[in-house]
């Protein structure tokens, strides 16, 4: 029970932004439960995210010496090497993970997408299809297969793969499948269908789907509907900031300290107001995409204000 509570505490500390304290709890857990590879993987992932590649690699390699056939550790090491730019080494680890556990979907996905990144379409298809034979209901593999087909302009096959994955994935994953299906529709020249699918993607998870926001706004921009594109960005970021405001813990401010949510409103090209707040998560790409559009179709001042929110 104490071990479980410590692991939950480590996760909570990470989510609250106290990463050093979270890692400290995980290190204590590592000493207390040396055979719990879940702790090793989480600690290694955090070190990797903090840029401590050598420390993360050392954790995984030491654990692998004790469990050389652990597919999860091999997968983690492969992901680390990929981030470090060592793609050949990463591929080798993914292949070892597949060999160690042929029904573990993650290394098929990682290896297939890496082959795809290198333009090896035939190899990517072979790996992903092999993974689907072993894990036929894995939605991530169906999505990856659709991506390869889409890149190869095999639109009907891409659509079939995305629709199949849509049947197997959890609710949150549907936003990604609708977005990908919209790309297929757009490639087929079905602009209104593409727009409808993107709006469907934003009805899931309270609209917190950054990829769908960017895709819909860029579709409207490409069609010359700048006002509509601006509305997409504005509405999405308003939702995003309201959610961040709710999640932000109350705290007292020092005299003269500005709360990120209390600063004056700013005015965009359409005369609408929005608050100054800053993003440190994946939504940074939404801010950047909006700023790029304003550089072209708005004013430099508006673009600068929007881009500063991503700082």
């Amino acid at each position: 029970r104490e071990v479980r509570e410590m692991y939950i505490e480590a996760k909570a500390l990470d989510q609250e932004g106290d990463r050093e304290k979270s890692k400290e709890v995980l290190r204590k857990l590592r000493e207390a439960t040396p055979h719990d590879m879940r702790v090793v993987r989480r600690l290694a992932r955090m070190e990797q995210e903090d840029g401590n590649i050598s420390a993360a690699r050392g954790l995984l390699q030491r654990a692998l010496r004790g469990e050389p056939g652990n597919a999860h550790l091999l997968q983690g090491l492969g992901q680390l090497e990929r981030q470090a730019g060592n793609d050949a080494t990463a591929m080798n680890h993914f292949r070892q993970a597949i060999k160690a556990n042929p029904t573990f979907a993650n290394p098929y996905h990682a290896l297939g997408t890496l082959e795809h990144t290198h333009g090896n379409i035939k190899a990517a298809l072979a790996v992903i299809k092999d993974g689907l034979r072993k894990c036929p209901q894995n939605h991530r593999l169906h999505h990856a297969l659709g991506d390869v087909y889409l890149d190869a302009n095999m639109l009907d096959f891409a659509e079939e793969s995305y629709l199949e994955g849509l049947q197997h994935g959890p609710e949150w994953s549907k936003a990604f499948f609708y977005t990908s299906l919209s790309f297929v529709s757009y490639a087929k020249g079905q602009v209104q269908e593409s727009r409808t699918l993107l709006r469907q993607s934003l009805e899931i998870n309270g609209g917190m789907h950054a990829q769908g926001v960017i895709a819909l706004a860029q579709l409207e921009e490409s069609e010359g509907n700048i006002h509509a594109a601006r509305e997409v960005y504005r509405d999405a970021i308003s939702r995003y900031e309201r959610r961040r405001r709710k999640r932000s813990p109350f705290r007292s401010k020092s005299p003269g300290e500005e709360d990120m949510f209390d600063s004056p409103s700013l005015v965009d090209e359409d005369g609408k107001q929005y608050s100054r707040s800053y993003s440190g998560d994946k939504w940074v790409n939404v801010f950047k995409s909006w700023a790029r559009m304003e550089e072209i179709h708005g004013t430099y001042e508006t673009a600068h204000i929007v881009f500063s929110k991503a700082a």
Side-chain angles (χ1 to χ4, degrees), residues 111-121 124 144 147-149 151-152:
L111 180 58
T113 54
L114 188 51
E115 292 282 16
H116 184 196
T117 299
H118 283 273
N120 304 326
I121 301 297
D147 287 347
V148 177
Y149 281 136
D151 192 35

Side-chain angles (χ1 to χ4, degrees), residues 191-205:
V191 176
Q192 185 54 44
E193 176 67 12
S194 179
R195 184 183 284 115
T196 299
L197 285 162
L198 286 169
R199 292 201 176 279
Q200 278 185 272
S201 80
L202 297 181
E203 291 173 2
I204 298 167
N205 304 329

